[in-house]
Amino acid sequence: MFISVILAHPHRGSFNHAIAETVVAALRECGHAVAFHDLYAETFDPVLPYDEIARDAPLPPFIAAHCAEIAVADGLVVVHPDWWGMPPSILKGWIDRVLRPGVAYRFGEGDNGEGISVGLLKAKTALVFNTSNTPKQRELAIFGDPLQRLWKDCICTFCGIPIFHRRMFDVMVASTEEQRKSWLGDVRALTCETFPPDSA
């Protein structure tokens, strides 16, 4: 399988980076091909210009390359922190510019966007890892876990990815080194379970 891994965290020593490194190593150990993108390290430009919105708009080479990659990926893994119930802006910009009409979805003939999308992505499975400083009970009770709704319903289902898994690690600010090591073990196990060697 060919798996696209997207990381969005500005600090190279972050736990998000450790998660992404664990994911990439696990995928390769399972025999999968991996395309890894650290959006901050690549200085990905998140600003969607107006001229790029149309489905048939000419794209900058780096956006066209991302679009070509995600279109053929068999699976998607995304790693990012929970900031205000949203991904970091650099990742939101990646969504805006890469998961575009004609690449990730389309609408039926005569439908200008008011109807139901047809997902175009080849990927059958998406796996999302998040970190947070909000306890799970408070997240669910007060905020309703907006990242679950965003990734599962607004992105993956919309773009045709039928299988979705997500894991949130909290509370990061109070976590111990031992706990983080255990969490990385969970990351490796869930990655291998989601993208096992026999599915290659």
Side-chain angles (χ1 to χ4, degrees), residues 1-70:
M1 297 179 76
F2 172 57
I3 314 297
S4 181
V5 179
I6 308 296
L7 166 66
H9 196 289
H11 178 45
R12 294 191 179 186
S14 72
F15 188 65
N16 280 256
H17 280 73
I19 291 173
E21 290 166 6
T22 301
V23 166
V24 170
L27 289 170
R28 288 177 175 157
E29 287 171 16
C30 288
H32 304 304
V34 179
F36 172 61
H37 294 283
D38 179 339
L39 297 182
Y40 281 96
E42 295 179 8
T43 60
F44 183 91
D45 183 356
V47 179
L48 173 66
Y50 175 76
D51 291 344
E52 206 176 286
I53 293 176
R55 184 171 58 87
D56 56 353
L59 302 176
F62 81 101
I63 294 295
H66 272 272
C67 290
E69 178 185 300
I70 199 66

Side-chain angles (χ1 to χ4, degrees), residues 140-189:
L140 293 174
I142 305 300
F143 306 113
D145 198 358
L147 286 176
Q148 177 74 10
R149 184 67 186 272
L150 171 70
W151 284 109
K152 183 178 184 295
D153 299 325
C154 300
I155 296 176
C156 290
T157 299
F158 193 89
C159 295
I161 304 177
I163 301 172
F164 175 81
H165 302 285
R166 177 170 165 263
R167 175 72 192 272
M168 173 76 85
F169 297 101
D170 62 77
V171 174
M172 292 304 305
V173 70
S175 64
T176 64
E177 182 177 352
E178 181 178 355
Q179 189 172 33
R180 292 185 181 203
K181 286 180 179 178
S182 176
W183 285 344
L184 291 178
D186 294 343
V187 169
R188 188 185 187 286

